[in-house]
Amino acid sequence: MNDDLSEADTRMTKPYFPALFALLLLPLVLAATETVTFPSGEITLHGVLYKPEGTGPFPAVIYNHGSAPGMMSEQAFAALGPVFASHGWVFFGPYRRGQGLSASAGPYIGDQIAAAEKTGGISVAAATMVRLLETDHLDDQLAALAWLRKQNFVQPNRIAVAGNSFGGIETVLGVERGGYCAGIDSAGGAQSWAQAPELQSLMTRAVRNATAPIFFFQAANDFDLSPSKTLSAEMNKVGKTYKLKIYPSYGDSPRDGHSFGYFGSEVWAEDVFGFLNQYCTK
């Protein structure tokens, strides 16, 4: 029931290296990455900020990480943050409870899902995943949004949401509830969709109620393309604005394809920033 870089996958995937090389070639648009804290209910969470050069205010994106354990999401933020900043967007990567810099703020969702599967099987694990993503983890995302809206370097009416894998699920849930200007869902649910009818129902409901356009994208060799195809079709059915794009295969395996949203910006950047600039207007 893992929906991101697995614990066994502690190495960087092959596509990471060209992405890292491209990152080194970006113009020096950033000061040092800034680490911040923000409240989520009674707990304190941490996140990282990348800012464009200048004082702003700028449009901003909240980027929801996936389910990777420990500090593995730091690789994704390090690859993505400079890309967004170089396009004039503040990048805010909040760490939800139990992961990364917020590891001490609560239990790790992967452990909670694994414990549920051990005691009750796949169906109980799926129910636990859905419950946590639509409660604690959505609460953490919306707390990050509330904090970001108060910052004087951000244009509060131009905040978008994005995410890969579990973060793509969170993106769809956030578009239903957060009042964002747009959402970018990369591979949300690609490893869990077939095993979790509750997840299908949750995300389908969320896109029906979407309050902003959503761009769904995946690499052709991702684990399962059904989430993007099904959810975009549902938005079309109810007259919501969306975009769907399946890119060519990325890397040599489904796991490489699943990391495309993190490390494939040289391929998707033009489409993503075109979408954001179209719907997050000044």
PDB file of all heavy atoms in Angstrom, residues 193-229:
ATOM      1  N   TRP A 193      -4.435   2.975  -6.367  1.00  0.00           N
ATOM      2  CA  TRP A 193      -5.757   3.114  -6.968  1.00  0.00           C
ATOM      3  C   TRP A 193      -6.496   1.777  -7.074  1.00  0.00           C
ATOM      4  O   TRP A 193      -7.640   1.642  -6.631  1.00  0.00           O
ATOM      5  CB  TRP A 193      -5.601   3.744  -8.339  1.00  0.00           C
ATOM      6  CG  TRP A 193      -6.858   4.093  -9.055  1.00  0.00           C
ATOM      7  CD1 TRP A 193      -7.470   3.360 -10.029  1.00  0.00           C
ATOM      8  CD2 TRP A 193      -7.640   5.286  -8.899  1.00  0.00           C
ATOM      9  NE1 TRP A 193      -8.586   4.015 -10.495  1.00  0.00           N
ATOM     10  CE2 TRP A 193      -8.715   5.204  -9.812  1.00  0.00           C
ATOM     11  CE3 TRP A 193      -7.544   6.415  -8.081  1.00  0.00           C
ATOM     12  CZ2 TRP A 193      -9.684   6.199  -9.934  1.00  0.00           C
ATOM     13  CZ3 TRP A 193      -8.502   7.409  -8.203  1.00  0.00           C
ATOM     14  CH2 TRP A 193      -9.554   7.298  -9.109  1.00  0.00           C
ATOM     15  N   ALA A 194      -5.843   0.785  -7.663  1.00  0.00           N
ATOM     16  CA  ALA A 194      -6.524  -0.481  -7.947  1.00  0.00           C
ATOM     17  C   ALA A 194      -6.909  -1.227  -6.679  1.00  0.00           C
ATOM     18  O   ALA A 194      -7.910  -1.956  -6.665  1.00  0.00           O
ATOM     19  CB  ALA A 194      -5.635  -1.362  -8.825  1.00  0.00           C
ATOM     20  N   GLN A 195      -6.154  -1.053  -5.615  1.00  0.00           N
ATOM     21  CA  GLN A 195      -6.394  -1.785  -4.374  1.00  0.00           C
ATOM     22  C   GLN A 195      -7.284  -1.040  -3.396  1.00  0.00           C
ATOM     23  O   GLN A 195      -7.621  -1.589  -2.345  1.00  0.00           O
ATOM     24  CB  GLN A 195      -5.054  -2.088  -3.683  1.00  0.00           C
ATOM     25  CG  GLN A 195      -4.153  -3.035  -4.448  1.00  0.00           C
ATOM     26  CD  GLN A 195      -2.839  -3.241  -3.717  1.00  0.00           C
ATOM     27  OE1 GLN A 195      -2.109  -2.291  -3.443  1.00  0.00           O
ATOM     28  NE2 GLN A 195      -2.545  -4.478  -3.375  1.00  0.00           N
ATOM     29  N   ALA A 196      -7.654   0.172  -3.713  1.00  0.00           N
ATOM     30  CA  ALA A 196      -8.336   1.010  -2.726  1.00  0.00           C
ATOM     31  C   ALA A 196      -9.568   1.691  -3.324  1.00  0.00           C
ATOM     32  O   ALA A 196      -9.514   2.852  -3.715  1.00  0.00           O
ATOM     33  CB  ALA A 196      -7.367   2.055  -2.169  1.00  0.00           C
ATOM     34  N   PRO A 197     -10.697   0.980  -3.383  1.00  0.00           N
ATOM     35  CA  PRO A 197     -11.925   1.619  -3.875  1.00  0.00           C
ATOM     36  C   PRO A 197     -12.301   2.864  -3.079  1.00  0.00           C
ATOM     37  O   PRO A 197     -12.866   3.810  -3.640  1.00  0.00           O
ATOM     38  CB  PRO A 197     -12.978   0.510  -3.703  1.00  0.00           C
ATOM     39  CG  PRO A 197     -12.207  -0.770  -3.703  1.00  0.00           C
ATOM     40  CD  PRO A 197     -10.889  -0.445  -3.065  1.00  0.00           C
ATOM     41  N   GLU A 198     -11.960   2.879  -1.778  1.00  0.00           N
ATOM     42  CA  GLU A 198     -12.262   4.067  -0.965  1.00  0.00           C
ATOM     43  C   GLU A 198     -11.506   5.279  -1.476  1.00  0.00           C
ATOM     44  O   GLU A 198     -12.020   6.403  -1.446  1.00  0.00           O
ATOM     45  CB  GLU A 198     -11.901   3.828   0.505  1.00  0.00           C
ATOM     46  CG  GLU A 198     -12.610   2.653   1.142  1.00  0.00           C
ATOM     47  CD  GLU A 198     -11.736   1.403   1.158  1.00  0.00           C
ATOM     48  OE1 GLU A 198     -10.994   1.170   0.164  1.00  0.00           O
ATOM     49  OE2 GLU A 198     -11.804   0.652   2.145  1.00  0.00           O
ATOM     50  N   LEU A 199     -10.280   5.061  -1.948  1.00  0.00           N
ATOM     51  CA  LEU A 199      -9.489   6.159  -2.494  1.00  0.00           C
ATOM     52  C   LEU A 199     -10.107   6.661  -3.799  1.00  0.00           C
ATOM     53  O   LEU A 199     -10.187   7.874  -4.034  1.00  0.00           O
ATOM     54  CB  LEU A 199      -8.050   5.714  -2.740  1.00  0.00           C
ATOM     55  CG  LEU A 199      -7.120   6.767  -3.343  1.00  0.00           C
ATOM     56  CD1 LEU A 199      -6.927   7.932  -2.385  1.00  0.00           C
ATOM     57  CD2 LEU A 199      -5.775   6.154  -3.722  1.00  0.00           C
ATOM     58  N   GLN A 200     -10.558   5.736  -4.623  1.00  0.00           N
ATOM     59  CA  GLN A 200     -11.217   6.126  -5.863  1.00  0.00           C
ATOM     60  C   GLN A 200     -12.432   7.006  -5.576  1.00  0.00           C
ATOM     61  O   GLN A 200     -12.637   8.044  -6.218  1.00  0.00           O
ATOM     62  CB  GLN A 200     -11.632   4.885  -6.646  1.00  0.00           C
ATOM     63  CG  GLN A 200     -10.467   4.012  -7.085  1.00  0.00           C
ATOM     64  CD  GLN A 200     -10.922   2.750  -7.787  1.00  0.00           C
ATOM     65  OE1 GLN A 200     -11.969   2.733  -8.445  1.00  0.00           O
ATOM     66  NE2 GLN A 200     -10.145   1.684  -7.677  1.00  0.00           N
ATOM     67  N   SER A 201     -13.229   6.599  -4.602  1.00  0.00           N
ATOM     68  CA  SER A 201     -14.428   7.373  -4.252  1.00  0.00           C
ATOM     69  C   SER A 201     -14.065   8.743  -3.701  1.00  0.00           C
ATOM     70  O   SER A 201     -14.694   9.753  -4.038  1.00  0.00           O
ATOM     71  CB  SER A 201     -15.265   6.605  -3.225  1.00  0.00           C
ATOM     72  OG  SER A 201     -15.719   5.389  -3.759  1.00  0.00           O
ATOM     73  N   LEU A 202     -13.040   8.782  -2.843  1.00  0.00           N
ATOM     74  CA  LEU A 202     -12.628  10.037  -2.225  1.00  0.00           C
ATOM     75  C   LEU A 202     -12.150  11.038  -3.272  1.00  0.00           C
ATOM     76  O   LEU A 202     -12.572  12.202  -3.283  1.00  0.00           O
ATOM     77  CB  LEU A 202     -11.505   9.766  -1.218  1.00  0.00           C
ATOM     78  CG  LEU A 202     -10.894  10.983  -0.534  1.00  0.00           C
ATOM     79  CD1 LEU A 202     -11.888  11.626   0.424  1.00  0.00           C
ATOM     80  CD2 LEU A 202      -9.602  10.590   0.199  1.00  0.00           C
ATOM     81  N   MET A 203     -11.276  10.586  -4.157  1.00  0.00           N
ATOM     82  CA  MET A 203     -10.723  11.506  -5.149  1.00  0.00           C
ATOM     83  C   MET A 203     -11.773  11.900  -6.191  1.00  0.00           C
ATOM     84  O   MET A 203     -11.781  13.044  -6.669  1.00  0.00           O
ATOM     85  CB  MET A 203      -9.493  10.878  -5.814  1.00  0.00           C
ATOM     86  CG  MET A 203      -8.338  10.646  -4.854  1.00  0.00           C
ATOM     87  SD  MET A 203      -6.860   9.965  -5.669  1.00  0.00           S
ATOM     88  CE  MET A 203      -6.228  11.425  -6.518  1.00  0.00           C
ATOM     89  N   THR A 204     -12.657  10.967  -6.530  1.00  0.00           N
ATOM     90  CA  THR A 204     -13.725  11.289  -7.477  1.00  0.00           C
ATOM     91  C   THR A 204     -14.650  12.358  -6.907  1.00  0.00           C
ATOM     92  O   THR A 204     -15.023  13.313  -7.600  1.00  0.00           O
ATOM     93  CB  THR A 204     -14.517  10.026  -7.836  1.00  0.00           C
ATOM     94  OG1 THR A 204     -13.642   9.068  -8.443  1.00  0.00           O
ATOM     95  CG2 THR A 204     -15.654  10.342  -8.796  1.00  0.00           C
ATOM     96  N   ARG A 205     -15.005  12.214  -5.642  1.00  0.00           N
ATOM     97  CA  ARG A 205     -15.833  13.241  -5.002  1.00  0.00           C
ATOM     98  C   ARG A 205     -15.122  14.582  -5.007  1.00  0.00           C
ATOM     99  O   ARG A 205     -15.719  15.635  -5.275  1.00  0.00           O
ATOM    100  CB  ARG A 205     -16.150  12.839  -3.570  1.00  0.00           C
ATOM    101  CG  ARG A 205     -17.064  13.805  -2.810  1.00  0.00           C
ATOM    102  CD  ARG A 205     -16.756  13.822  -1.334  1.00  0.00           C
ATOM    103  NE  ARG A 205     -15.503  14.486  -1.036  1.00  0.00           N
ATOM    104  CZ  ARG A 205     -14.760  14.245   0.049  1.00  0.00           C
ATOM    105  NH1 ARG A 205     -15.149  13.333   0.932  1.00  0.00           N
ATOM    106  NH2 ARG A 205     -13.642  14.910   0.248  1.00  0.00           N
ATOM    107  N   ALA A 206     -13.817  14.561  -4.708  1.00  0.00           N
ATOM    108  CA  ALA A 206     -13.070  15.811  -4.619  1.00  0.00           C
ATOM    109  C   ALA A 206     -13.024  16.541  -5.961  1.00  0.00           C
ATOM    110  O   ALA A 206     -13.193  17.761  -6.008  1.00  0.00           O
ATOM    111  CB  ALA A 206     -11.657  15.539  -4.107  1.00  0.00           C
ATOM    112  N   VAL A 207     -12.802  15.815  -7.060  1.00  0.00           N
ATOM    113  CA  VAL A 207     -12.731  16.520  -8.344  1.00  0.00           C
ATOM    114  C   VAL A 207     -14.110  17.010  -8.782  1.00  0.00           C
ATOM    115  O   VAL A 207     -14.211  18.031  -9.464  1.00  0.00           O
ATOM    116  CB  VAL A 207     -12.071  15.657  -9.443  1.00  0.00           C
ATOM    117  CG1 VAL A 207     -10.639  15.314  -9.068  1.00  0.00           C
ATOM    118  CG2 VAL A 207     -12.868  14.410  -9.772  1.00  0.00           C
ATOM    119  N   ARG A 208     -15.155  16.305  -8.395  1.00  0.00           N
ATOM    120  CA  ARG A 208     -16.502  16.806  -8.701  1.00  0.00           C
ATOM    121  C   ARG A 208     -16.742  18.151  -8.022  1.00  0.00           C
ATOM    122  O   ARG A 208     -17.454  19.002  -8.556  1.00  0.00           O
ATOM    123  CB  ARG A 208     -17.553  15.809  -8.212  1.00  0.00           C
ATOM    124  CG  ARG A 208     -17.724  14.565  -9.057  1.00  0.00           C
ATOM    125  CD  ARG A 208     -18.774  13.664  -8.436  1.00  0.00           C
ATOM    126  NE  ARG A 208     -18.864  12.388  -9.126  1.00  0.00           N
ATOM    127  CZ  ARG A 208     -19.213  11.255  -8.525  1.00  0.00           C
ATOM    128  NH1 ARG A 208     -19.492  11.235  -7.232  1.00  0.00           N
ATOM    129  NH2 ARG A 208     -19.299  10.141  -9.218  1.00  0.00           N
ATOM    130  N   ASN A 209     -16.161  18.320  -6.843  1.00  0.00           N
ATOM    131  CA  ASN A 209     -16.356  19.541  -6.064  1.00  0.00           C
ATOM    132  C   ASN A 209     -15.210  20.530  -6.229  1.00  0.00           C
ATOM    133  O   ASN A 209     -15.113  21.504  -5.463  1.00  0.00           O
ATOM    134  CB  ASN A 209     -16.513  19.197  -4.586  1.00  0.00           C
ATOM    135  CG  ASN A 209     -17.725  18.332  -4.309  1.00  0.00           C
ATOM    136  OD1 ASN A 209     -18.742  18.449  -4.986  1.00  0.00           O
ATOM    137  ND2 ASN A 209     -17.622  17.444  -3.330  1.00  0.00           N
ATOM    138  N   ALA A 210     -14.321  20.298  -7.187  1.00  0.00           N
ATOM    139  CA  ALA A 210     -13.124  21.126  -7.340  1.00  0.00           C
ATOM    140  C   ALA A 210     -13.496  22.597  -7.500  1.00  0.00           C
ATOM    141  O   ALA A 210     -14.417  22.943  -8.239  1.00  0.00           O
ATOM    142  CB  ALA A 210     -12.310  20.660  -8.540  1.00  0.00           C
ATOM    143  N   THR A 211     -12.753  23.452  -6.809  1.00  0.00           N
ATOM    144  CA  THR A 211     -12.982  24.895  -6.894  1.00  0.00           C
ATOM    145  C   THR A 211     -11.936  25.592  -7.754  1.00  0.00           C
ATOM    146  O   THR A 211     -11.914  26.821  -7.816  1.00  0.00           O
ATOM    147  CB  THR A 211     -12.982  25.518  -5.493  1.00  0.00           C
ATOM    148  OG1 THR A 211     -11.701  25.307  -4.876  1.00  0.00           O
ATOM    149  CG2 THR A 211     -14.068  24.897  -4.609  1.00  0.00           C
ATOM    150  N   ALA A 212     -11.074  24.809  -8.413  1.00  0.00           N
ATOM    151  CA  ALA A 212     -10.044  25.375  -9.298  1.00  0.00           C
ATOM    152  C   ALA A 212      -9.708  24.347 -10.366  1.00  0.00           C
ATOM    153  O   ALA A 212      -9.947  23.144 -10.184  1.00  0.00           O
ATOM    154  CB  ALA A 212      -8.790  25.742  -8.492  1.00  0.00           C
ATOM    155  N   PRO A 213      -9.130  24.782 -11.480  1.00  0.00           N
ATOM    156  CA  PRO A 213      -8.699  23.839 -12.516  1.00  0.00           C
ATOM    157  C   PRO A 213      -7.581  22.927 -12.011  1.00  0.00           C
ATOM    158  O   PRO A 213      -6.773  23.331 -11.166  1.00  0.00           O
ATOM    159  CB  PRO A 213      -8.192  24.752 -13.635  1.00  0.00           C
ATOM    160  CG  PRO A 213      -8.786  26.089 -13.362  1.00  0.00           C
ATOM    161  CD  PRO A 213      -8.911  26.181 -11.879  1.00  0.00           C
ATOM    162  N   ILE A 214      -7.519  21.720 -12.550  1.00  0.00           N
ATOM    163  CA  ILE A 214      -6.475  20.762 -12.189  1.00  0.00           C
ATOM    164  C   ILE A 214      -5.796  20.260 -13.452  1.00  0.00           C
ATOM    165  O   ILE A 214      -6.457  19.890 -14.428  1.00  0.00           O
ATOM    166  CB  ILE A 214      -7.029  19.564 -11.402  1.00  0.00           C
ATOM    167  CG1 ILE A 214      -7.745  20.015 -10.133  1.00  0.00           C
ATOM    168  CG2 ILE A 214      -5.893  18.593 -11.039  1.00  0.00           C
ATOM    169  CD1 ILE A 214      -8.392  18.871  -9.336  1.00  0.00           C
ATOM    170  N   PHE A 215      -4.461  20.218 -13.421  1.00  0.00           N
ATOM    171  CA  PHE A 215      -3.654  19.609 -14.481  1.00  0.00           C
ATOM    172  C   PHE A 215      -3.177  18.259 -13.968  1.00  0.00           C
ATOM    173  O   PHE A 215      -2.429  18.183 -13.005  1.00  0.00           O
ATOM    174  CB  PHE A 215      -2.480  20.524 -14.809  1.00  0.00           C
ATOM    175  CG  PHE A 215      -1.539  19.993 -15.881  1.00  0.00           C
ATOM    176  CD1 PHE A 215      -1.907  19.002 -16.776  1.00  0.00           C
ATOM    177  CD2 PHE A 215      -0.266  20.523 -15.998  1.00  0.00           C
ATOM    178  CE1 PHE A 215      -1.050  18.533 -17.753  1.00  0.00           C
ATOM    179  CE2 PHE A 215       0.620  20.079 -16.977  1.00  0.00           C
ATOM    180  CZ  PHE A 215       0.223  19.079 -17.852  1.00  0.00           C
ATOM    181  N   PHE A 216      -3.644  17.173 -14.606  1.00  0.00           N
ATOM    182  CA  PHE A 216      -3.213  15.822 -14.271  1.00  0.00           C
ATOM    183  C   PHE A 216      -2.123  15.420 -15.255  1.00  0.00           C
ATOM    184  O   PHE A 216      -2.321  15.512 -16.472  1.00  0.00           O
ATOM    185  CB  PHE A 216      -4.371  14.831 -14.413  1.00  0.00           C
ATOM    186  CG  PHE A 216      -5.579  15.135 -13.566  1.00  0.00           C
ATOM    187  CD1 PHE A 216      -6.625  15.894 -14.083  1.00  0.00           C
ATOM    188  CD2 PHE A 216      -5.673  14.680 -12.261  1.00  0.00           C
ATOM    189  CE1 PHE A 216      -7.750  16.164 -13.323  1.00  0.00           C
ATOM    190  CE2 PHE A 216      -6.791  14.959 -11.494  1.00  0.00           C
ATOM    191  CZ  PHE A 216      -7.836  15.690 -12.014  1.00  0.00           C
ATOM    192  N   PHE A 217      -0.985  14.926 -14.742  1.00  0.00           N
ATOM    193  CA  PHE A 217       0.005  14.400 -15.670  1.00  0.00           C
ATOM    194  C   PHE A 217       0.760  13.230 -15.057  1.00  0.00           C
ATOM    195  O   PHE A 217       0.907  13.127 -13.836  1.00  0.00           O
ATOM    196  CB  PHE A 217       0.959  15.494 -16.169  1.00  0.00           C
ATOM    197  CG  PHE A 217       2.026  15.953 -15.213  1.00  0.00           C
ATOM    198  CD1 PHE A 217       3.238  15.277 -15.101  1.00  0.00           C
ATOM    199  CD2 PHE A 217       1.851  17.098 -14.441  1.00  0.00           C
ATOM    200  CE1 PHE A 217       4.239  15.719 -14.243  1.00  0.00           C
ATOM    201  CE2 PHE A 217       2.841  17.547 -13.584  1.00  0.00           C
ATOM    202  CZ  PHE A 217       4.042  16.851 -13.478  1.00  0.00           C
ATOM    203  N   GLN A 218       1.201  12.339 -15.928  1.00  0.00           N
ATOM    204  CA  GLN A 218       2.012  11.192 -15.548  1.00  0.00           C
ATOM    205  C   GLN A 218       2.910  10.816 -16.712  1.00  0.00           C
ATOM    206  O   GLN A 218       2.647  11.185 -17.867  1.00  0.00           O
ATOM    207  CB  GLN A 218       1.124   9.976 -15.215  1.00  0.00           C
ATOM    208  CG  GLN A 218       0.269  10.124 -13.972  1.00  0.00           C
ATOM    209  CD  GLN A 218      -0.548   8.876 -13.673  1.00  0.00           C
ATOM    210  OE1 GLN A 218      -1.750   8.863 -13.895  1.00  0.00           O
ATOM    211  NE2 GLN A 218       0.090   7.836 -13.163  1.00  0.00           N
ATOM    212  N   ALA A 219       3.963  10.065 -16.404  1.00  0.00           N
ATOM    213  CA  ALA A 219       4.766   9.432 -17.449  1.00  0.00           C
ATOM    214  C   ALA A 219       4.081   8.136 -17.862  1.00  0.00           C
ATOM    215  O   ALA A 219       3.427   7.467 -17.055  1.00  0.00           O
ATOM    216  CB  ALA A 219       6.166   9.150 -16.934  1.00  0.00           C
ATOM    217  N   ALA A 220       4.238   7.757 -19.121  1.00  0.00           N
ATOM    218  CA  ALA A 220       3.540   6.587 -19.658  1.00  0.00           C
ATOM    219  C   ALA A 220       3.901   5.304 -18.936  1.00  0.00           C
ATOM    220  O   ALA A 220       3.104   4.354 -18.914  1.00  0.00           O
ATOM    221  CB  ALA A 220       3.841   6.457 -21.149  1.00  0.00           C
ATOM    222  N   ASN A 221       5.095   5.229 -18.340  1.00  0.00           N
ATOM    223  CA  ASN A 221       5.515   4.004 -17.655  1.00  0.00           C
ATOM    224  C   ASN A 221       5.312   4.069 -16.148  1.00  0.00           C
ATOM    225  O   ASN A 221       5.900   3.291 -15.398  1.00  0.00           O
ATOM    226  CB  ASN A 221       6.980   3.693 -17.966  1.00  0.00           C
ATOM    227  CG  ASN A 221       7.946   4.794 -17.522  1.00  0.00           C
ATOM    228  OD1 ASN A 221       7.579   5.970 -17.495  1.00  0.00           O
ATOM    229  ND2 ASN A 221       9.174   4.418 -17.192  1.00  0.00           N
ATOM    230  N   ASP A 222       4.463   4.985 -15.671  1.00  0.00           N
ATOM    231  CA  ASP A 222       4.097   4.998 -14.254  1.00  0.00           C
ATOM    232  C   ASP A 222       3.319   3.711 -13.935  1.00  0.00           C
ATOM    233  O   ASP A 222       2.864   2.999 -14.832  1.00  0.00           O
ATOM    234  CB  ASP A 222       3.245   6.236 -13.960  1.00  0.00           C
ATOM    235  CG  ASP A 222       3.220   6.620 -12.488  1.00  0.00           C
ATOM    236  OD1 ASP A 222       3.693   5.829 -11.638  1.00  0.00           O
ATOM    237  OD2 ASP A 222       2.709   7.717 -12.193  1.00  0.00           O
ATOM    238  N   PHE A 223       3.133   3.454 -12.650  1.00  0.00           N
ATOM    239  CA  PHE A 223       2.500   2.206 -12.228  1.00  0.00           C
ATOM    240  C   PHE A 223       1.090   2.024 -12.786  1.00  0.00           C
ATOM    241  O   PHE A 223       0.702   0.931 -13.186  1.00  0.00           O
ATOM    242  CB  PHE A 223       2.451   2.138 -10.698  1.00  0.00           C
ATOM    243  CG  PHE A 223       3.787   1.983 -10.051  1.00  0.00           C
ATOM    244  CD1 PHE A 223       4.429   3.073  -9.477  1.00  0.00           C
ATOM    245  CD2 PHE A 223       4.421   0.750 -10.014  1.00  0.00           C
ATOM    246  CE1 PHE A 223       5.669   2.927  -8.877  1.00  0.00           C
ATOM    247  CE2 PHE A 223       5.661   0.594  -9.424  1.00  0.00           C
ATOM    248  CZ  PHE A 223       6.294   1.692  -8.854  1.00  0.00           C
ATOM    249  N   ASP A 224       0.296   3.074 -12.812  1.00  0.00           N
ATOM    250  CA  ASP A 224      -1.103   2.975 -13.222  1.00  0.00           C
ATOM    251  C   ASP A 224      -1.558   4.358 -13.688  1.00  0.00           C
ATOM    252  O   ASP A 224      -1.448   5.331 -12.935  1.00  0.00           O
ATOM    253  CB  ASP A 224      -1.958   2.504 -12.039  1.00  0.00           C
ATOM    254  CG  ASP A 224      -3.408   2.222 -12.401  1.00  0.00           C
ATOM    255  OD1 ASP A 224      -3.814   2.485 -13.553  1.00  0.00           O
ATOM    256  OD2 ASP A 224      -4.150   1.744 -11.518  1.00  0.00           O
ATOM    257  N   LEU A 225      -2.045   4.446 -14.911  1.00  0.00           N
ATOM    258  CA  LEU A 225      -2.514   5.716 -15.461  1.00  0.00           C
ATOM    259  C   LEU A 225      -3.994   5.961 -15.177  1.00  0.00           C
ATOM    260  O   LEU A 225      -4.519   7.029 -15.507  1.00  0.00           O
ATOM    261  CB  LEU A 225      -2.260   5.765 -16.970  1.00  0.00           C
ATOM    262  CG  LEU A 225      -0.807   5.560 -17.427  1.00  0.00           C
ATOM    263  CD1 LEU A 225      -0.715   5.644 -18.946  1.00  0.00           C
ATOM    264  CD2 LEU A 225       0.125   6.573 -16.776  1.00  0.00           C
ATOM    265  N   SER A 226      -4.650   4.996 -14.564  1.00  0.00           N
ATOM    266  CA  SER A 226      -6.092   5.110 -14.329  1.00  0.00           C
ATOM    267  C   SER A 226      -6.488   6.335 -13.518  1.00  0.00           C
ATOM    268  O   SER A 226      -7.513   6.966 -13.837  1.00  0.00           O
ATOM    269  CB  SER A 226      -6.615   3.852 -13.629  1.00  0.00           C
ATOM    270  OG  SER A 226      -6.386   2.710 -14.395  1.00  0.00           O
ATOM    271  N   PRO A 227      -5.738   6.704 -12.449  1.00  0.00           N
ATOM    272  CA  PRO A 227      -6.188   7.867 -11.675  1.00  0.00           C
ATOM    273  C   PRO A 227      -6.331   9.126 -12.512  1.00  0.00           C
ATOM    274  O   PRO A 227      -7.368   9.801 -12.465  1.00  0.00           O
ATOM    275  CB  PRO A 227      -5.104   8.016 -10.602  1.00  0.00           C
ATOM    276  CG  PRO A 227      -4.529   6.657 -10.450  1.00  0.00           C
ATOM    277  CD  PRO A 227      -4.566   6.056 -11.829  1.00  0.00           C
ATOM    278  N   SER A 228      -5.318   9.470 -13.290  1.00  0.00           N
ATOM    279  CA  SER A 228      -5.376  10.695 -14.089  1.00  0.00           C
ATOM    280  C   SER A 228      -6.479  10.621 -15.137  1.00  0.00           C
ATOM    281  O   SER A 228      -7.235  11.588 -15.351  1.00  0.00           O
ATOM    282  CB  SER A 228      -4.032  10.941 -14.785  1.00  0.00           C
ATOM    283  OG  SER A 228      -3.029  11.250 -13.838  1.00  0.00           O
ATOM    284  N   LYS A 229      -6.606   9.476 -15.792  1.00  0.00           N
ATOM    285  CA  LYS A 229      -7.615   9.340 -16.843  1.00  0.00           C
ATOM    286  C   LYS A 229      -9.030   9.372 -16.255  1.00  0.00           C
ATOM    287  O   LYS A 229      -9.928  10.031 -16.800  1.00  0.00           O
ATOM    288  CB  LYS A 229      -7.378   8.044 -17.620  1.00  0.00           C
ATOM    289  CG  LYS A 229      -6.101   8.067 -18.446  1.00  0.00           C
ATOM    290  CD  LYS A 229      -5.903   6.767 -19.216  1.00  0.00           C
ATOM    291  CE  LYS A 229      -4.681   6.831 -20.109  1.00  0.00           C
ATOM    292  NZ  LYS A 229      -4.466   5.571 -20.876  1.00  0.00           N
TER     293      LYS A 229
END
